[in-house]
């Protein structure tokens, strides 16, 4: 499960570019910097015709009967669940981040990063009451994650990012890939 991630706009050219585009598109936006929690507004990337564009989106689909939010969707069942199926077919997104957090059974907090300055994880989005909302797709943990938690976000490799957003027929293959090894740092 992924319940918190980090976005550091300061030293990252890619993230600064995304932030600049969002500020142009949505002056005075409330995009979250630093640690991002469920229900915070964050940046996502989505396909718009032939382009990939940043958009503001709230983390979490509204829960059943208006209770809480759903923040993750399991890769193994995302095409089967009514809540996610249509979004998986037509509204996939990437969530840019500098890392995500997970806690082990002893409540030790870890930050996970990939080999680049910015990692992109797969997600889906939908509109609720005129506002975009997204969830993060999770998959079985790889070897670098397994000792802390049995699930992890679906980290999308650079070569698969455009396909994830634009090519529905390739999504099942991307969902089945094991993400690359991550760097793990104990924090807090």
């Amino acid at each position: 499960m992924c319940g918190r991630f980090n976005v550091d706009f300061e030293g990252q050219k890619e993230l600064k570019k995304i932030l600049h585009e969002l500020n142009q598109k949505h002056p005075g936006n409330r995009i979250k910097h630093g640690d991002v929690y469920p229900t915070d507004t964050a940046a996502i990337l989505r396909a718009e015709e032939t382009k990939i564009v940043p958009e503001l989106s709230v983390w979490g689909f509204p829960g059943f009967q208006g209770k809480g939010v759903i923040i993750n969707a399991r890769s193994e069942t995302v095409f089967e669940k009514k809540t996610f199926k249509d979004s998986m077919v037509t509204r996939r997104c990437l969530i840019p981040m500098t890392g995500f957090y997970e806690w082990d059974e002893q409540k030790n907090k870890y930050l996970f990063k990939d080999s680049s300055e910015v990692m992109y994880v797969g997600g889906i989005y939908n509109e609720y009451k005129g506002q975009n909302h997204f969830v993060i797709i999770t998959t079985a943990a790889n070897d670098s994650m397994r000792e802390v938690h049995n699930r992890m976000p679906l980290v999308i490799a650079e070569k698969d990012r455009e396909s994830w957003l634009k090519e529905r027929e390739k999504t099942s293959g991307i969902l089945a890939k094991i993400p690359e090894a991550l760097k793990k740092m104990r924090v807090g």
Side-chain angles (χ1 to χ4, degrees):
M1 182 170 141
C2 178
R4 191 174 315 159
F5 62 90
N6 184 274
V7 179
D8 179 5
F9 290 103
E10 289 307 311
Q12 320 301 340
K13 286 186 215 177
E14 283 178 69
L15 290 176
K16 279 184 178 181
K17 181 178 184 260
I18 291 168
L19 180 62
H20 176 74
E21 288 180 43
L22 287 172
N23 286 335
Q24 295 292 318
K25 197 174 189 180
H26 304 283
N29 69 66
R30 296 186 329 265
I31 192 167
K32 186 71 184 278
H33 301 255
D35 289 355
V36 179
Y37 295 80
T39 73
D40 284 343
T41 299
I44 64 168
L45 299 179
R46 63 180 179 84
E48 187 175 274
E49 297 174 12
T50 60
K51 298 184 290 185
I52 297 174
V53 298
E55 192 54 71
L56 294 174
S57 192
V58 175
W59 185 10
F61 284 7
F64 302 106
Q65 300 172 339
K67 295 181 181 176
V69 291
I70 301 165
I71 60 172
N72 296 313
R74 294 175 69 90
S75 61
E76 300 87 349
T77 58
V78 72
F79 279 113
E80 300 165 14
K81 302 287 184 176
K82 183 179 174 184
T83 304
F84 307 126
K85 185 178 179 178
D86 288 343
S87 291
M88 191 60 203
V89 171
T90 61
R91 292 179 298 276
R92 292 175 304 283
C93 65
L94 292 168
I95 302 100
M97 60 183 68
T98 46
F100 66 89
Y101 298 101
E102 197 54 73
W103 290 258
D104 65 16
E105 291 179 1
Q106 292 76 39
K107 305 294 185 213
N108 296 310
K109 181 179 175 183
Y110 294 90
L111 175 65
F112 290 88
K113 297 176 152 228
D114 72 2
S115 59
S116 62
E117 289 184 350
V118 180
M119 71 168 46
Y120 292 85
V121 302
I124 53 177
Y125 68 96
N126 206 342
E127 187 175 304
Y128 297 93
K129 297 183 180 179
Q131 189 173 43
N132 277 336
H133 289 255
F134 74 93
V135 297
I136 292 174
I137 306 291
T138 65
T139 189
N142 63 18
D143 289 342
S144 63
M145 178 81 190
R146 196 169 291 117
E147 71 180 41
V148 175
H149 201 276
N150 65 351
R151 303 289 302 168
M152 66 181 285
L154 179 68
V155 179
I156 307 285
E158 185 175 0
K159 65 182 176 60
D160 293 325
R161 292 178 193 154
E162 191 163 342
S163 295
W164 173 259
L165 295 175
K166 297 180 179 180
E167 300 177 56
R168 155 65 181 97
E169 64 280 359
K170 292 191 177 180
T171 56
S172 292
I174 295 170
L175 286 171
K177 290 184 177 184
I178 297 171
E180 71 175 66
L182 301 173
K183 298 179 219 169
K184 175 178 74 173
M185 295 163 272
R186 188 169 171 184
V187 294

